[in-house]
Amino acid sequence: GAVVSQHPSWVICKSGTSVKIECRSLDFQATTMFWYRQFPKQSLMLMATSNEGSKATYEQGVEKDKFLINHASLTLSTLTVTSAHPEDSSFYICSAFGQGGTEAFFGQGTRLTVV
Amino acid sequence: GQSLEQPSEVTAVEGAIVQINCTYQTSGFYGLSWYQQHDGGAPTFLSYNALDGLEETGRFSSFLSRSDSYGYLLLQELQMKDSASYFCAVRKLSGNTPLVFGKGTRLSVIA
Protein backbone atom coordinates (compact mmCIF):
# COMPACT_ATOMS: atom_id res chain seq x y z
CA GLY A 1 0.00 0.00 0.00
CA ALA A 2 0.89 3.65 -0.15
CA VAL A 3 3.07 5.16 2.56
CA VAL A 4 2.62 8.52 4.21
CA SER A 5 5.44 9.66 6.44
CA GLN A 6 4.97 12.37 9.02
CA HIS A 7 7.48 13.95 11.32
CA PRO A 8 8.27 14.79 13.94
CA SER A 9 6.39 12.11 15.84
CA TRP A 10 6.40 14.25 18.92
CA VAL A 11 7.46 17.76 19.81
CA ILE A 12 7.47 19.90 22.91
CA CYS A 13 7.61 23.64 22.43
CA LYS A 14 7.31 26.75 24.49
CA SER A 15 4.19 28.85 24.39
CA GLY A 16 4.44 31.53 21.72
CA THR A 17 6.78 29.63 19.43
CA SER A 18 5.98 28.00 16.09
CA VAL A 19 6.18 24.36 15.14
CA LYS A 20 6.33 22.86 11.66
CA ILE A 21 5.00 19.38 10.91
CA GLU A 22 5.85 17.67 7.65
CA CYS A 23 3.81 15.08 5.80
CA ARG A 24 5.26 13.23 2.84
CA SER A 25 3.80 10.71 0.46
CA LEU A 26 6.71 8.35 -0.12
CA ASP A 27 5.70 6.17 -3.02
CA PHE A 28 2.88 8.05 -4.67
CA GLN A 29 1.91 11.58 -5.55
CA ALA A 30 -0.70 13.21 -3.40
CA THR A 31 -2.23 16.27 -4.97
CA THR A 32 -4.45 16.53 -1.95
CA MET A 33 -3.67 15.87 1.69
CA PHE A 34 -5.85 16.26 4.72
CA TRP A 35 -4.89 17.49 8.16
CA TYR A 36 -6.72 16.27 11.24
CA ARG A 37 -6.46 17.02 14.92
CA GLN A 38 -7.33 14.53 17.62
CA PHE A 39 -7.72 15.23 21.31
CA PRO A 40 -7.43 12.36 23.80
CA LYS A 41 -10.22 9.81 23.58
CA GLN A 42 -11.91 11.79 20.82
CA SER A 43 -12.37 11.41 17.11
CA LEU A 44 -10.32 12.85 14.28
CA MET A 45 -11.51 16.32 13.43
CA LEU A 46 -10.73 17.64 9.98
CA MET A 47 -8.79 20.89 10.09
CA ALA A 48 -8.07 21.57 6.46
CA THR A 49 -7.66 20.19 2.98
CA SER A 50 -4.26 20.85 1.48
CA ASN A 51 -4.07 21.14 -2.31
CA GLU A 52 -0.81 21.12 -4.20
CA GLY A 53 -0.12 24.48 -5.76
CA SER A 54 -3.11 26.27 -4.31
CA LYS A 55 -4.44 27.57 -1.04
CA ALA A 56 -5.66 25.19 1.58
CA THR A 57 -9.32 24.93 2.43
CA TYR A 58 -9.97 25.30 6.14
CA GLU A 59 -12.85 23.91 8.10
CA GLN A 60 -15.12 26.27 9.96
CA GLY A 61 -13.58 27.38 13.23
CA VAL A 62 -9.99 26.64 12.23
CA GLU A 63 -7.84 29.77 12.13
CA LYS A 64 -5.96 29.83 8.85
CA ASP A 65 -3.46 32.37 10.15
CA LYS A 66 -2.62 30.17 13.09
CA PHE A 67 -2.43 26.88 11.24
CA LEU A 68 -0.43 27.60 8.12
CA ILE A 69 -0.54 24.93 5.46
CA ASN A 70 1.79 24.73 2.52
CA HIS A 71 1.62 22.09 -0.20
CA ALA A 72 4.47 23.07 -2.46
CA SER A 73 5.02 19.74 -4.15
CA LEU A 74 3.10 16.60 -5.03
CA THR A 75 4.71 14.72 -2.17
CA LEU A 76 4.98 17.24 0.66
CA SER A 77 2.51 19.16 2.76
CA THR A 78 3.47 21.07 5.88
CA LEU A 79 1.42 22.34 8.78
CA THR A 80 2.89 25.13 10.87
CA VAL A 81 1.32 25.90 14.20
CA THR A 82 2.16 29.52 14.81
CA SER A 83 2.31 31.21 18.20
CA ALA A 84 1.43 27.95 19.86
CA HIS A 85 -0.51 27.94 23.11
CA PRO A 86 -1.14 25.11 25.57
CA GLU A 87 -4.64 24.61 24.15
CA ASP A 88 -3.01 23.70 20.83
CA SER A 89 -1.53 20.63 22.46
CA SER A 90 -2.98 17.72 20.54
CA PHE A 91 -2.28 14.87 18.15
CA TYR A 92 -1.99 16.15 14.59
CA ILE A 93 -2.21 13.69 11.74
CA CYS A 94 -2.12 13.92 7.97
CA SER A 95 -3.76 11.71 5.42
CA ALA A 96 -3.97 11.10 1.69
CA PHE A 97 -5.89 8.70 -0.48
CA GLY A 98 -4.08 6.07 -2.44
CA GLN A 99 -4.46 5.45 -6.12
CA GLY A 100 -7.72 3.57 -5.82
CA GLY A 101 -9.32 6.48 -4.04
CA THR A 102 -11.07 4.38 -1.42
CA GLU A 103 -8.36 3.75 1.15
CA ALA A 104 -6.88 6.64 3.10
CA PHE A 105 -3.32 6.38 4.33
CA PHE A 106 -2.24 8.21 7.43
CA GLY A 107 1.02 9.57 8.68
CA GLN A 108 2.28 8.40 12.04
CA GLY A 109 0.91 11.51 13.71
CA THR A 110 2.61 14.25 15.69
CA ARG A 111 2.04 14.63 19.40
CA LEU A 112 2.40 18.36 20.10
CA THR A 113 2.80 19.54 23.66
CA VAL A 114 2.95 23.26 24.31
CA VAL A 115 4.33 24.26 27.68
CA GLY B 1 -23.58 18.51 7.20
CA GLN B 2 -22.66 15.03 8.19
CA SER B 3 -23.07 13.08 11.40
CA LEU B 4 -22.22 9.53 12.28
CA GLU B 5 -23.35 7.69 15.38
CA GLN B 6 -21.63 4.68 16.85
CA PRO B 7 -21.45 3.25 20.37
CA SER B 8 -18.73 4.77 22.51
CA GLU B 9 -17.56 1.56 24.14
CA VAL B 10 -17.91 -2.17 23.66
CA THR B 11 -16.41 -5.00 25.69
CA ALA B 12 -16.17 -8.55 24.42
CA VAL B 13 -14.49 -11.79 25.36
CA GLU B 14 -11.52 -13.21 23.51
CA GLY B 15 -12.67 -15.60 20.81
CA ALA B 16 -16.14 -14.10 20.59
CA ILE B 17 -17.83 -12.07 17.87
CA VAL B 18 -18.64 -8.39 18.19
CA GLN B 19 -20.63 -6.05 15.97
CA ILE B 20 -20.11 -2.28 15.94
CA ASN B 21 -22.96 -0.34 14.41
CA CYS B 22 -22.83 2.98 12.62
CA THR B 23 -25.69 5.15 11.46
CA TYR B 24 -25.05 8.21 9.37
CA GLN B 25 -26.71 11.32 8.07
CA THR B 26 -25.00 13.01 5.16
CA SER B 27 -25.90 15.42 2.42
CA GLY B 28 -23.92 13.31 -0.02
CA PHE B 29 -22.62 9.78 0.22
CA TYR B 30 -19.66 8.09 -1.35
CA GLY B 31 -19.13 4.97 0.66
CA LEU B 32 -18.75 3.94 4.28
CA SER B 33 -15.33 3.05 5.58
CA TRP B 34 -13.99 1.58 8.79
CA TYR B 35 -10.65 2.37 10.41
CA GLN B 36 -8.86 0.91 13.40
CA GLN B 37 -6.69 2.99 15.70
CA HIS B 38 -4.58 1.71 18.55
CA ASP B 39 -3.69 4.10 21.35
CA GLY B 40 -1.01 6.53 20.22
CA GLY B 41 -1.06 5.21 16.68
CA ALA B 42 -2.40 6.23 13.31
CA PRO B 43 -5.69 4.97 11.91
CA THR B 44 -5.42 2.02 9.57
CA PHE B 45 -7.91 1.05 6.92
CA LEU B 46 -10.13 -1.95 7.52
CA SER B 47 -12.87 -1.88 4.92
CA TYR B 48 -14.90 0.14 2.45
CA ASN B 49 -18.47 -0.37 1.31
CA ALA B 50 -19.83 1.57 -1.61
CA LEU B 51 -22.76 -0.72 -2.34
CA ASP B 52 -25.25 -2.53 -0.14
CA GLY B 53 -24.18 -5.83 1.24
CA LEU B 54 -21.44 -7.56 3.10
CA GLU B 55 -17.71 -7.29 2.47
CA GLU B 56 -15.49 -9.87 4.11
CA THR B 57 -11.78 -9.60 4.76
CA GLY B 58 -10.45 -12.32 6.98
CA ARG B 59 -11.83 -12.01 10.50
CA PHE B 60 -13.39 -8.64 9.70
CA SER B 61 -16.59 -8.04 7.76
CA SER B 62 -18.45 -4.85 7.01
CA PHE B 63 -22.04 -4.34 6.00
CA LEU B 64 -23.86 -1.44 4.40
CA SER B 65 -27.51 -0.62 3.86
CA ARG B 66 -27.78 2.66 2.04
CA SER B 67 -31.57 2.78 2.31
CA ASP B 68 -31.25 2.61 6.10
CA SER B 69 -28.13 4.82 6.28
CA TYR B 70 -26.64 2.09 8.37
CA GLY B 71 -23.60 -0.08 8.46
CA TYR B 72 -21.71 -2.30 10.82
CA LEU B 73 -18.31 -3.79 11.37
CA LEU B 74 -18.21 -7.42 12.46
CA LEU B 75 -15.14 -8.79 14.16
CA GLN B 76 -14.88 -12.54 14.58
CA GLU B 77 -12.58 -14.71 16.66
CA LEU B 78 -11.61 -11.74 18.74
CA GLN B 79 -8.02 -11.46 19.84
CA MET B 80 -6.51 -9.31 22.56
CA LYS B 81 -4.73 -7.28 19.89
CA ASP B 82 -8.12 -6.21 18.53
CA SER B 83 -8.50 -3.92 21.54
CA ALA B 84 -8.52 -0.52 19.87
CA SER B 85 -10.79 2.28 18.73
CA TYR B 86 -12.86 1.70 15.61
CA PHE B 87 -14.15 4.56 13.52
CA CYS B 88 -16.74 4.58 10.79
CA ALA B 89 -16.23 7.30 8.22
CA VAL B 90 -17.98 8.67 5.15
CA ARG B 91 -17.11 10.84 2.22
CA LYS B 92 -19.63 13.15 0.63
CA LEU B 93 -18.23 12.95 -2.86
CA SER B 94 -15.76 11.03 -4.92
CA GLY B 95 -12.41 12.51 -5.78
CA ASN B 96 -10.22 14.32 -3.31
CA THR B 97 -12.72 14.92 -0.57
CA PRO B 98 -11.99 14.19 3.06
CA LEU B 99 -13.25 11.48 5.32
CA VAL B 100 -15.59 12.53 8.08
CA PHE B 101 -15.26 10.28 11.10
CA GLY B 102 -17.69 9.06 13.68
CA LYS B 103 -16.77 9.54 17.32
CA GLY B 104 -15.30 6.09 17.53
CA THR B 105 -16.02 2.92 19.45
CA ARG B 106 -13.49 1.76 21.98
CA LEU B 107 -13.35 -2.02 21.93
CA SER B 108 -11.92 -3.84 24.91
CA VAL B 109 -11.22 -7.53 24.48
CA ILE B 110 -11.00 -9.40 27.76
CA ALA B 111 -9.79 -12.88 28.55
Side-chain angles (χ1 to χ4, degrees):
Chain A
V3 178
V4 175
S5 178
Q6 180 176 345
H7 73 91
S9 56
W10 61 270
V11 59
I12 301 172
C13 71
K14 289 185 178 181
S15 188
T17 62
S18 296
V19 172
K20 179 187 282 189
I21 302 169
E22 293 190 348
C23 180
R24 295 182 185 271
S25 55
L26 296 187
D27 52 357
F28 69 107
Q29 293 181 332
T31 56
T32 302
M33 290 185 178
F34 307 100
W35 287 95
Y36 292 86
R37 179 168 53 183
Q38 186 177 33
F39 292 105
K41 299 190 186 304
Q42 294 188 23
S43 186
L44 291 88
M45 298 302 297
L46 179 69
M47 298 177 68
T49 299
S50 169
N51 299 296
E52 186 270 334
S54 65
K55 291 183 178 180
T57 304
Y58 290 82
E59 294 300 296
Q60 192 172 10
V62 178
E63 300 175 58
K64 63 180 181 181
D65 294 330
K66 180 171 183 61
F67 298 99
L68 300 179
I69 290 173
N70 183 279
H71 197 150
S73 78
L74 288 171
T75 59
L76 174 64
S77 175
T78 61
L79 168 67
T80 301
V81 183
T82 63
S83 186
H85 290 285
E87 56 264 33
D88 299 324
S89 298
S90 187
F91 189 60
Y92 293 86
I93 191 161
C94 64
S95 171
F97 281 96
Q99 197 168 12
T102 57
E103 178 177 350
F105 297 90
F106 290 82
Q108 300 93 321
T110 298
R111 175 78 55 196
L112 170 64
T113 302
V114 184
V115 298
Chain B
Q2 294 145 293
S3 68
L4 298 95
E5 296 294 327
Q6 52 182 128
S8 58
E9 293 182 354
V10 173
T11 300
V13 178
E14 192 176 16
I17 299 172
V18 71
Q19 179 174 313
I20 300 174
N21 298 320
C22 175
T23 57
Y24 59 87
Q25 286 186 317
T26 63
S27 53
F29 180 77
Y30 185 71
L32 181 70
S33 302
W34 289 91
Y35 287 79
Q36 179 192 60
Q37 185 182 32
H38 285 97
D39 287 345
T44 56
F45 173 83
L46 292 177
S47 68
Y48 170 76
N49 293 68
L51 302 175
D52 291 354
L54 190 68
E55 295 280 343
E56 297 180 76
T57 308
R59 294 188 296 115
F60 294 0
S61 302
S62 58
F63 172 82
L64 174 65
S65 169
R66 288 175 296 169
S67 60
D68 295 324
S69 298
Y70 163 77
Y72 66 72
L73 178 69
L74 191 73
L75 297 85
Q76 303 181 70
E77 300 173 20
L78 281 173
Q79 302 175 9
M80 301 299 283
K81 67 179 182 179
D82 297 329
S83 293
S85 292
Y86 293 83
F87 296 90
C88 57
V90 298
R91 294 168 78 187
K92 287 175 60 174
L93 300 168
S94 62
N96 284 318
T97 56
L99 287 166
V100 175
F101 289 87
K103 293 183 178 179
T105 299
R106 188 166 186 87
L107 171 65
S108 297
V109 180
I110 59 176

